[in-house]
Amino acid sequence: MFRPGIPRSGIDTGRGQPRPVEDARAPTAAERVRTLVESSVSAVLDIPGVRSADPAPSGHGSPEARAVTDDGDVVLLVPASSQAAQVAEHASGDELVAVMEITDVAPVAVPRRIRGRARVAGWLTAARPGERAALARLLSERHPAGPPAAEMAWVLLRLEVGEAHIEDLWGSDAVEPDDFAAAAPDPLAPHEAELLQHLASSHDDQMRTLCSLLGDSGPACAAEGARAVPLALDRYGMRVRFCDLEGQPPSACFDARFEFPEPVDEVAGLRRAMRLLFEAAAQ
């Protein structure tokens, strides 16, 4: 049985992101941070205290790829010319305090498109010569396509996690290093952007039928002109943002969570879960 959750009664008018119902099945905070860290969404690496004459913020850089080792360290692939790489190399093995900030933006057009932010702080070192091959293999497993510019020189850095924090559609949570190391990323994360874009572009009518599962909120979001935008997807369910509601301001939206009968671990299982969800909405 599908358990849709309306996170907030009435209509959200822009006073922040709606939150899910408290008893909804959800990824843990550690799993959500781990998913963002191992994803391809935008990240910025900052080394506080580094100063230079450059007009750009000192110590900043954007890792091109990220992966997590078995012991919970984050491996970062950065251009050799980046300031983060140069500072880490010149530290001669000394640990540098560093902060990686990740911004998660919905891959579909929707009001309040930023879904969350994660912050991972710890100690940064350049990868040692003896471990570079193993770390490069780990990165290639996570990112089979490799660096976007093969002709560039790249450096591998290691970030030992000291603390992490996430603020997203589920709420705000701190994550301990041991919990981060033990967590697993969501298995659907590598496919989420493509799946959400496909649902938004090719299944608009079916998405709107989900209103029938929302009880009293159904008539407002089922009205002509209303939109049902697939906002987020994980192994436990899908979050949909309903906007352009009849009789409400243009910015008025609310979110609903539709749980799958069982957690989904791969795309084939997701297709079955989505088929059952649409069939339930059509009844």
Side-chain angles (χ1 to χ4, degrees), residues 22-279:
E22 292 184 358
D23 66 340
R25 290 182 299 176
T28 67
E31 289 170 338
R32 284 146 44 206
V33 174
R34 184 76 179 254
T35 296
L36 288 183
V37 167
E38 299 208 55
S39 73
S40 58
V41 301
S42 175
V44 173
L45 182 65
D46 181 27
I47 304 174
V50 174
R51 295 291 181 267
S52 77
D54 294 340
S58 301
H60 281 73
S62 297
E64 296 293 337
R66 310 182 293 269
V68 180
T69 66
D70 290 341
D71 55 3
D73 290 349
V74 182
V75 181
L76 305 170
L77 181 69
V78 301
S81 59
S82 68
Q83 190 168 24
Q86 294 174 15
V87 170
E89 291 280 6
H90 293 160
S92 302
D94 293 337
E95 294 177 332
L96 299 167
V97 175
V99 180
M100 182 171 62
E101 298 194 8
I102 306 172
T103 302
D104 180 25
V105 181
V108 291
V110 65
R112 298 184 299 283
R113 197 165 177 174
I114 294 179
R115 302 188 298 187
R117 291 184 171 88
R119 182 178 183 273
V120 180
W123 300 274
L124 189 71
T125 56
R128 297 186 299 273
E131 66 181 0
R132 289 173 186 166
L135 297 181
R137 285 195 298 271
L138 178 64
L139 272 174
S140 66
E141 292 172 1
R142 301 290 193 273
H143 304 275
E151 68 275 8
M152 291 180 62
W154 301 90
V155 169
L156 288 170
L157 305 180
R158 180 190 285 266
L159 179 65
E160 180 185 351
V161 177
E163 62 180 20
H165 184 271
I166 187 166
E167 184 172 357
D168 60 6
L169 298 171
W170 293 102
S172 180
D173 293 283
V175 175
E176 294 295 326
D178 289 346
D179 294 332
F180 174 81
D186 190 88
L188 297 182
H191 315 286
E192 186 200 22
E194 180 182 358
L195 292 167
L196 292 178
Q197 291 167 353
H198 174 72
L199 286 170
S201 63
S202 302
H203 296 275
D204 180 65
D205 290 342
Q206 287 177 295
M207 292 299 302
R208 289 183 59 195
T209 65
L210 298 178
C211 287
S212 65
L213 300 176
L214 298 183
D216 294 340
S217 296
C221 62
E224 184 176 356
R227 293 186 300 143
V229 184
L231 180 65
L233 186 68
D234 58 62
R235 66 194 303 258
Y236 298 107
M238 177 174 62
R239 186 182 181 99
V240 178
R241 180 157 294 170
F242 295 93
C243 296
D244 297 335
L245 308 173
E246 186 177 32
Q248 300 295 331
S251 61
C253 299
F254 74 87
D255 287 8
R257 171 81 174 176
F258 300 90
E259 291 187 6
F260 301 141
E262 300 293 339
V264 174
D265 293 326
E266 32 75 35
V267 174
L270 174 65
R271 292 194 184 102
R272 290 191 296 271
M274 292 301 302
R275 184 178 66 251
L276 291 173
L277 178 59
F278 288 140
E279 288 175 356

